Every structure is written in C-alpha cells, then in structure tokens.
Amino acid sequence: MTTTPAKPRVAVHKFSSCDGCQLAFLTAGEALLTLAELVEIRHFAEAGALDETAQVEIAFVEGSISTPHEAERIQRVRAQSRYLVTIGACATAGGIQSLRNLARVDEWTRAVYASPEYIRALDRVDPIAAHVSVDFELWGCPVNTGQVTALVRDLLFGVAPRPVNEKVCLECKRAGNVCVLVASDPPQPCLGPVTRTGCGAICPRMGRDCYGCYGPAEQANTRALNRRLRGIGLLPEEIARRYQLMNAEAPEFAEAARHVRNSR
C-alpha cells in the first residue's frame, strides 16, 4: 500500500505593514490555486487559515518589527520554520514606518495620539533580518507575485532561489522605454539606475520617474546618481528624501542619503 507524501507546509505571517504583500498572494489568481495544490497552507490570516504556532517548511513574513510583542513573536516564527522568507519593503528594509527612525518616537506619539501612554512601541523600526536570520528576501512594495511563486517552486524542487538584482534601467532598455532621467524635458529624478527591477519598470513605462520601491540593486552607484540629480536642480535634502521612502533602512539607500546630506 502506497501513501501520498505529505505536502510541504507554508505559513504567511503579518507584522507591521499595510497587508499589500499578502494581497499579492490573493490576487495571484490561477497561480495561487496551483500553489495550493503543491503545499499545505497552515497559517494565512488573509486567506482564512489560522494556525500561528504551526511548524512549517516555509514561512513568509510581511512587515517590520516595531513593537516589543513583534520582537518576541518573530523569534517564535523563526523557531517554527525551516526557511524564513521576507516579502516586501517593510520586511526587508523597514518600510514606510521606519521613517520614524529619523525622529524621536516619544515626540511623534505625543503629537499623534491623545493618550500616548497606551502606545507600546520600540525606539526603532527594524527589518526582520535585524532580529533573526533570514534565508531569502523578496523585495518590492508590494512584492512581485511571480517572484513569490517562483521561489516556492525552487524550494520545493531543491533549487536555491536566484536573487533578482539587476537594475530597472535594464528593464527599460528591454521594453524600449524612453529614459526619463536623460531624454525627457525636463529630466525627472529617476532612481532606476540604482533600483532593482521586479516591477516591470511600470513607472518609467508610463513616463514617470522610478522612486525605488524595489530597493537597491547590485552594485548601485548612488554617488554618481547623486551628482546627476544635483545637476538637474535637486537640493541635497530633496535627493536624500528620494532614498528615504519605503526602503529607508536598506544600507545602500541609507548611506546614500547620509552622504548627500554631508556633501552640501
């Protein structure tokens, strides 16, 4: 008598985030149905499966660490998982909420909340890798659904997932997009030369500048780009703010912002 092998178990965990990367799963359509045939989804609150303590082969984590409770919970998620995969800008680089690292948390809570004494927040917002070891990272705001399903398939078949590090500029060249940084009039402050692809260069395709939602690309020459951005009229603070959006805690972007501010 033969028995059917157990399907690999998968969990999707949410931390401080907007849920956009989880929605990337839910909007995958047929790809999600195919994935559901290959794995057993044990925990995925957005889809209705609730078992946060389940031992799994693959744990996807959306969101950053911004509260003491989350700092404790991510340790449990790590202990329950064979592979831990961070998905999206919040999990990989702190996300929009990490902008509070540029100010004092107590000042912000007093300014925003009527009763700030009830707010339990860490002094800093961190990406997941600042607290536990991470096996694979998928960047983006939101993450690319195709990359998620490709990573799962690679892991299921014992293949090491290949990170996508090439720049948005290469995507633009393949698509025949007119460069908004060089060829448009007036030139736009595009971060495509230092940002990894994954979005299909959707903003330049529509004649708009890339604002870096997929994080730093491999060998990102931010200093050369900074000189170009200053050359088209941006002030140092304006350039720094371009880097400090949803990937503010990415080391390459954080260093680029510091450098341009110090080179006034």
Side-chain angles (χ1 to χ4, degrees):
M1 179 178 177
T2 60
T3 58
T4 303
K7 295 180 180 180
R9 294 158 296 179
V10 171
V12 182
H13 296 274
K14 170 186 164 58
F15 287 76
S16 291
S17 61
C18 71
D19 287 19
C21 291
Q22 292 184 75
L23 289 176
F25 278 89
L26 296 178
T27 59
E30 186 175 341
L32 180 61
L33 297 178
T34 302
L35 176 63
E37 294 177 354
L38 298 175
V39 302
E40 178 187 356
I41 300 177
R42 295 294 303 274
H43 176 74
F44 186 2
E46 288 273 355
L50 295 174
D51 188 0
E52 193 174 22
T53 62
Q55 293 285 334
V56 297
E57 279 67 50
I58 306 172
F60 289 101
V61 176
E62 176 197 65
S64 58
I65 304 299
S66 66
T67 68
H69 174 66
E70 289 180 332
E72 296 174 1
R73 186 159 64 93
I74 192 59
Q75 299 294 333
R76 295 195 295 271
V77 171
R78 174 69 273 188
Q80 296 162 190
S81 315
R82 180 181 180 187
Y83 296 111
L84 190 149
V85 182
T86 52
I87 56 172
C90 295
T92 55
I96 290 291
Q97 54 269 26
S98 68
L99 291 178
R100 83 175 192 212
N101 296 346
L102 305 176
R104 290 178 57 88
V105 174
D106 57 345
E107 292 178 354
W108 281 28
T109 53
R110 286 199 303 269
V112 173
Y113 297 100
S115 301
E117 65 272 16
Y118 294 105
I119 303 301
R120 299 291 180 264
L122 297 172
D123 291 336
R124 285 184 51 84
V125 172
D126 291 320
I128 299 300
H131 290 259
V132 297
S133 62
V134 170
D135 297 296
F136 303 101
E137 295 180 326
L138 292 177
W139 294 69
C141 186
V143 72
N144 180 299
T145 302
Q147 291 181 5
V148 172
T149 54
L151 181 140
V152 172
R153 284 185 173 274
D154 286 344
L155 292 178
L156 293 182
F157 290 101
V159 177
R162 182 178 65 86
V164 178
N165 290 323
E166 68 177 26
K167 299 172 177 65
V168 171
C169 290
L170 296 178
E171 191 81 32
C172 280
K173 292 296 184 183
R174 287 192 290 264
N177 298 336
V178 175
C179 180
V180 298
L181 179 63
V182 175
S184 64
D185 185 20
Q188 299 183 43
C190 185
L191 293 187
V194 298
T195 299
R196 74 180 68 208
T197 189
C199 61
I202 187 171
C203 289
R205 191 187 299 269
M206 302 303 294
R208 298 181 55 186
D209 50 297
C210 167
Y211 51 91
C213 66
Y214 268 72
E218 188 176 35
Q219 298 179 343
N221 191 347
T222 55
R223 297 194 181 187
L225 179 61
N226 290 350
R227 289 193 294 271
R228 171 61 180 167
L229 296 179
R230 295 187 76 159
I232 65 175
L234 268 68
L235 298 174
E237 184 61 28
E238 292 174 318
I239 298 172
R241 288 179 179 178
R242 298 286 297 177
Y243 293 110
Q244 293 180 316
L245 291 173
M246 65 287 293
N247 287 293
E249 288 298 309
E252 297 90 339
F253 281 3
E255 192 280 332
R258 285 193 298 268
H259 180 266
V260 73
R261 283 194 173 104
N262 293 334
S263 61
R264 298 180 183 182

